[in-house]
Amino acid sequence: MATFDKNDDNVVVIVGSGAGGGTLAHELCSRGIDVVLLEAGARQSIDSYVQDEWASFGQLAWLEKRWSDGGWRIATDFPNLPAWICKTVGGTTTHWAGASLRFQEHEFEIRTHYGEIEGANLLDWPITLAEMEPFYDRAEDKLGVTRTHGIPGLPGNNNFKVLYAGATKIGYKTVHTGHMAINSAFRDDRQMCHQMGFCFQGCKMGAKWSTLYSEIPKAEETGRLELRTEAYVLQILHDDAGKVTGVLYADKDGVQHEQKARIVAVAGNSIESPRLLLNSASAKFPDGLANSSGQVGRNYMRHTTGSVYAAMPEPVHMYRGTTMAGVVQDEAHHDTGRGFAGGYEIETLSLGIPFMAAFLDPGAWGRDFARKMETYDHMAGMWIVGEDMPQETNRVTLDPEEKDAHGMAVPRVAFTDHPNDAAMREHAYGRGEAIYDAVGAKAVYRVPPYPSTHNLGTNRMSENARDGVVNKWGQTHDVPNLFVSDGSQFTTGGAENPTLTIVALAIRQAEHIADRMSKNEI
Amino acid sequence: MTIVFERKAERALGVPRSERLRLDRRRFLASSLRALGAYVVAAQGVTWIVGADKAWAMELDAFEPDLAETLLQMTRALYPHDFLGDVYYAKVVEDLDAEASGFEDKSRLALMRDGMAALNEAAGGTFTSADDAQKVEALRKIQDTPFFQAVRSKTVVSLYNQSEVWTEFGYEGPVYERGGYLFNGFNDLNWLPDPPADASPPVQI
Ligand SMILES: Cc1cc2nc3c(=O)[nH]c(=O)nc-3n(C[C@H](O)[C@H](O)[C@H](O)COP(=O)(O)OP(=O)(O)OC[C@H]3O[C@@H](n4cnc5c(N)ncnc54)[C@H](O)[C@@H]3O)c2cc1C
Ligand code: SF4
């Protein structure tokens, strides 16, 4: 690993080492660019991961103070846990399940396809699927996505068997073990999946792609990466001309340092990235950095989600094997005949006993709840992930008073379903129940959305500077040497799990940055 | 949770060393972990929860006997699983006790004590002598209070976070040491037809 001087203003500083930041770091380093990667969390490894839900949560999750506001049930049930994301090297690619789906063509242009939807702040992306395809292809190769590049699909587990039988019985056609960034056979120095069933806890086989053991070590090998862990970025600094000059961060002892930079790329996930821009307000940028549009922090999306678990007539043991073991894609298209715009995917899901108790019906107690828990070994489970509507009032803001240990304002995350979101969820719950009823479910449980695992849209991409925060390269409209490199760039969310798209955008962005740097344009 | 409680039980009950229970660990697991009828005693000013067969005991730091007894019954009423012995609910009380004594001031302890008083009032006397239906009714009356929320949210984590409880629910938990479920039944379900190979390809070994 390289080390760079804090006054070296030729480095690219990246904030956050997750899907976006970790990928960008590797891609830039392999193009000969020096990178300082600042990560708030500590570094774990496949040896230090623990197969225990709460212990792992304590090890990996972002537990700094946050507030949930708005009409979603999370504000009541989990007032300090709006999102379930990570603070560790590798970011949320330690927790993620590995489902890797491309956006559909129309999902880059929903303003055009869906028209005006009241209360929604729809906008077309400034890029198309055709432009993204080569980068999706490279991302799939990087992640080793099954059913692409000749990589075989994963074998289905018990939970998938139930899903498959039920879904095909009610007429669904596209049902399989998914496109997963999990090795079905040894590849890229990573083991094959041993069906541990702890994908959310960090894969101890290293079978699941994570920037922790894929992108970051490769970047380190180039000799151009310096990773600083437990480095919590507090502010992005700029000069009188309005160009960023570096960042201010606190180390693990709380001591503050300034790191100079030629370019800063923000990839702290969709709550921390806008928080950092807002917290970098100055006399020149009183509303926060890159916020001339007023869109920083707005249009917060989290996918329309929910789970259906079913008590089946015979044992299932759904926790054995990959957490997301298969997908039904027949509802992913856009068809307003169902009473809503956009579509959703259905994916198997499983939780262990500790998390099931916490999430099955948050706040519930008593005999009925206990009886549901007692069906655990007979349960099959699925998660729905659908396109939600960007709304200006769903947003990340800074608490006007409360500060964290470093004196940085605590973020507030407000979210309320759009009627389209609610209609989609209702439809999806119904279809999920039908799948399990078709194979004899004794009872079905509708489970409300978990704290947000997919956090998107709070620094969105737009053609025009007035509509969003970044352009088609993730470069902020206002500050030429400031980039956003994570899921907060998403103009809209699509029905697909976001990480493949985050990675594809990071590859594309790296190429662009390297090109502009070589021409001395940034 | 550790299962080796014998010594503590002896200390609490003043059992002389010579009469120490010699429990076969496996029998201890089967019988003691399912046993009901745990009780609370105070010995030299320290509160203990003791298993009905005296095979285990838990020492509390902050709670008086009546508070420990109330919480022991309250946690079971919140998440009643008839196949779980009292030891698991006692473990929750132990966690609540540790939490209360961890606060520098006595605010958490006061919350528990005041909460118990309110719960007794809601039960029309003493919660611990109410029958099951009355207990549920009393809990319902106080379910929006900070006391109830504090106990419930702790219980839902602490009760279901015990590996012996997982076993009772048919959840096997960590499997790394066993090489993964790949070799331990990840696809052993046989009451439905197997999906075709294009939907679910064979293991690539
Ligand atoms: C349980 C779970 C399952 C998931 N499953 C899937 C799936 O199957 N498919 C899929 O596509 N997606 C899935 N996701 C979502 C996926 O993990 C995220 O979309 C993705 O990791 C987001 O990438 P990111 O780069 O935006 O942020 P992250 O990966 O979250 O990385 C952000 C990093 O920035 C760091 N950071 C933040 N602020 C600062 C700061 N101020 N200073 C320094 N560092 C900072 C954080 O510590 C973190 O490490 C899942 C998520 C969860 C929680
Ligand atoms: S199921 Fe596979 S991918 Fe998931 S944790 Fe286990 S080995 Fe890793």
Side-chain angles (χ1 to χ4, degrees), chain A residues 182 192-199 202-205 207-208 321-323:
Chain A
I182 296 179
M192 69 176 276
C193 170
H194 279 50
Q195 304 285 341
M196 297 278 172
F198 283 90
C199 309
C203 173
K204 278 186 84 68
M205 294 305 299
K208 180 189 80 176
T322 46
T323 306

Side-chain angles (χ1 to χ4, degrees), chain A residues 25 56 65 67 89 198 214 262 392 522:
Chain A
S56 172
K65 185 79 169 282
W67 284 103
V89 176
F198 283 90
S214 304
R262 176 165 169 186
E392 281 202 317
I522 338 179

Side-chain angles (χ1 to χ4, degrees), chain A residues 16 18-20 39-40 84 87-88 91-92 97-99 231 233 269 272 486 497-499:
Chain A
E39 168 54 55
W84 172 2
K87 180 187 179 186
T88 186
T92 317
V233 179
N269 207 326
E272 295 311 311
D486 60 16
N497 316 55
T499 306

